[in-house]
């Protein structure tokens, strides 16, 4: 496994193996089984697998959140070595954003909703850094987790709108045994908050069950999710949403397809989760 910081080193390795298929897994590090499931899928579907580890400052709108983001590069590299990754890019912020940097990629309407409304500028940072990753690696396929449902919708939109020559592959949400979606942020939960953090998954599964029993009124389904969250004393919702899976517009009635999603602060730690219906 080769680990490089410089763009020129990544490019050289990529183009020495130009005729092979490349899969890329972008990450912010502090890897868990959610990331590794994407790596495993990339490993199975490509000749070469690249991973980037970069805590991207432009997608954080809160300096404290950026500073407090968990990091453990040594352990991450050990895990990636075990998975048989070929190439890892661990750039510094100065390499990705040199002093005169001033060019951003912005997807419009769909980034103003949900996570975009709660975290202004977040997706501008995501699409900019992902564009740069695609230009550096020029991967045939790039792997993203359904955990970040809106990110998937936004990246797919960007790839189509800007004609990136990369297929977007989406991996299923990996969860703990009690349903909590794996996240690098879960380490910040106190034992009690960790227990209560299952309220996100419980809210989603209860709404899903109600949908399956015939409930189509989106407001009733939203209220059902809010009730479950309300029962957890340490939990405070940022938003709950029942939206169209592509436009992300809030629905009045769930016809055939919907994205149930939410962001919840559990003891101050912001967690997100979602479920695609059906
Ligand atoms: P991050 O390091 O949080 O930026 O995540 C890197 C990639 O891993 C993103 O595409 C995430 O959607 C994906 N990911 C994070 N957590 C999970 C999870 N629990 N299941 C599946 N994919 C995940």
């Amino acid at each position: 496994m080769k680990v490089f910081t410089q763009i020129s080193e990544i490019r050289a390795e990529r183009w020495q193996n130009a005729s092979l298929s490349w899969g890329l897994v972008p990450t912010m590090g502090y890897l868990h089984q959610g990331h590794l499931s994407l790596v495993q899928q990339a490993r199975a579907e490509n000749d070469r697998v690249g991973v980037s580890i970069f805590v991207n400052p432009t997608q954080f709108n809160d300096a404290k959140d950026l500073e407090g983001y968990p990091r453990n590069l040594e352990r991450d590299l050990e895990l990636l070595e075990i998975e048989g990754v070929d190439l890892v890019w661990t750039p510094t912020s100065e390499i990705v954003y040199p002093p005169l940097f001033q060019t951003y990629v912005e997807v419009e309407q769909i980034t103003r909703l949900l996570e975009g409304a709660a975290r202004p500028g977040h997706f501008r940072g995501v699409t900019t850094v992902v564009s740069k990753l695609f230009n550096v690696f020029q991967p045939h396929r790039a792997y993203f987790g359904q955990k970040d449902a809106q990110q998937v919708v936004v990246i797919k939109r960007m790839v189509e709108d800007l004609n990136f020559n990369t297929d977007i592959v989406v991996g299923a949400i990996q969860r703990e045994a009690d349903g909590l979606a794996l996240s690098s942020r879960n380490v910040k939960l106190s034992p009690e908050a960790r227990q209560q953090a299952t309220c996100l998954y419980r809210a989603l599964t209860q709404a899903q069950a109600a949908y399956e029993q015939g409930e189509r009124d989106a407001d009733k389904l939203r209220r059902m999710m809010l009730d479950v969250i309300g029962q957890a004393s340490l939990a405070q919702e940022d938003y709950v949403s029942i939206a169209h899976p592509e436009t992300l517009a809030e629905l009045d009635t769930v016809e055939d397809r919907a994205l149930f999603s939410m962001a919840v602060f559990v003891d101050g730690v912001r967690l997100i989760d979602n479920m695609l219906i059906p």
Side-chain angles (χ1 to χ4, degrees):
M1 183 172 84
K2 293 180 176 162
V3 182
F4 295 130
T5 305
Q6 299 299 330
I7 292 169
S8 57
E9 297 172 302
I10 296 291
R11 285 227 165 102
E13 184 63 24
R14 167 68 179 87
W15 293 110
Q16 272 164 28
N17 299 283
S19 62
L20 302 178
S21 65
W22 279 82
L24 171 66
V25 184
T27 84
M28 297 205 298
Y30 213 76
L31 303 179
H32 51 65
Q33 193 52 44
H35 301 106
L36 298 181
S37 68
L38 296 176
V39 171
Q40 288 154 9
Q41 200 176 344
R43 181 70 283 168
E45 297 174 356
N46 300 277
D47 299 320
R48 292 284 182 273
V49 175
V51 173
S52 58
I53 299 176
F54 178 58
V55 182
N56 176 34
T58 61
Q59 72 188 69
F60 286 79
N61 50 344
D62 175 350
K64 269 218 320 256
D65 189 24
L66 170 63
E67 200 182 317
Y69 198 84
R71 293 163 166 90
N72 189 342
L73 182 59
E74 200 181 325
R75 181 166 171 279
D76 288 347
L77 294 177
E78 279 170 21
L79 291 169
L80 295 177
E81 177 103 57
I82 292 167
E83 297 297 339
V85 167
D86 300 287
L87 182 59
V88 183
W89 190 28
T90 58
T92 62
S93 287
E94 291 69 31
I95 288 173
V96 179
Y97 300 109
L100 292 177
F101 186 90
Q102 52 194 292
T103 306
Y104 292 87
V105 176
E106 193 162 356
V107 173
E108 298 193 339
Q109 284 93 324
I110 53 173
T111 62
R112 298 186 187 129
L113 306 166
L114 303 173
E115 285 300 288
R119 305 176 68 188
H122 169 68
F123 285 113
R124 180 180 190 247
V126 170
T127 46
T128 299
V129 82
V130 169
S131 300
K132 289 174 69 88
L133 291 169
F134 286 4
N135 284 332
V136 170
F137 279 90
Q138 303 209 4
H140 297 84
R141 301 183 188 85
Y143 294 79
F144 293 88
Q146 179 60 27
K147 162 88 184 333
D148 297 278
Q150 187 175 10
Q151 174 167 279
V152 167
V153 176
V154 168
I155 300 280
K156 283 183 171 171
R157 182 81 264 137
M158 176 189 85
V159 163
E160 197 169 320
D161 288 354
L162 296 184
N163 310 104
F164 279 102
N165 198 11
T166 295
D167 288 338
I168 303 305
V169 184
V170 182
I173 302 178
Q174 304 297 306
R175 299 180 180 281
E176 301 282 6
D178 63 5
L180 176 66
L182 298 184
S183 166
S184 306
R185 294 177 192 272
N186 292 352
V187 291
K188 299 175 155 212
L189 295 166
S190 68
E192 198 187 346
R194 167 63 190 82
Q195 273 191 340
Q196 294 197 18
T198 57
C199 70
L200 286 86
Y201 185 64
R202 284 186 286 115
L204 289 166
T205 47
Q206 285 199 21
Q208 179 193 37
Y211 170 82
E212 281 169 0
Q213 282 156 28
E215 184 58 76
R216 294 292 180 271
D217 183 328
D219 253 340
K220 284 198 184 141
L221 292 165
R222 283 185 202 98
R223 247 176 284 137
M224 216 171 274
M225 297 198 285
L226 287 171
D227 280 348
V228 176
I229 294 159
Q231 285 157 23
S233 60
L234 296 175
Q236 177 63 52
E237 78 278 359
D238 195 357
Y239 63 80
V240 302
S241 161
I242 295 195
H244 184 280
E246 275 105 41
T247 67
L248 304 178
E250 291 300 317
L251 299 174
D252 294 327
T253 308
V254 182
E255 306 279 350
D256 46 352
R257 295 188 313 134
L259 176 67
F260 292 12
S261 70
M262 61 180 63
V264 178
F265 288 98
V266 182
D267 204 13
V269 181
R270 191 172 183 281
L271 302 177
I272 59 171
D273 202 348
N274 72 87
M275 211 173 256
L276 270 176
I277 300 294

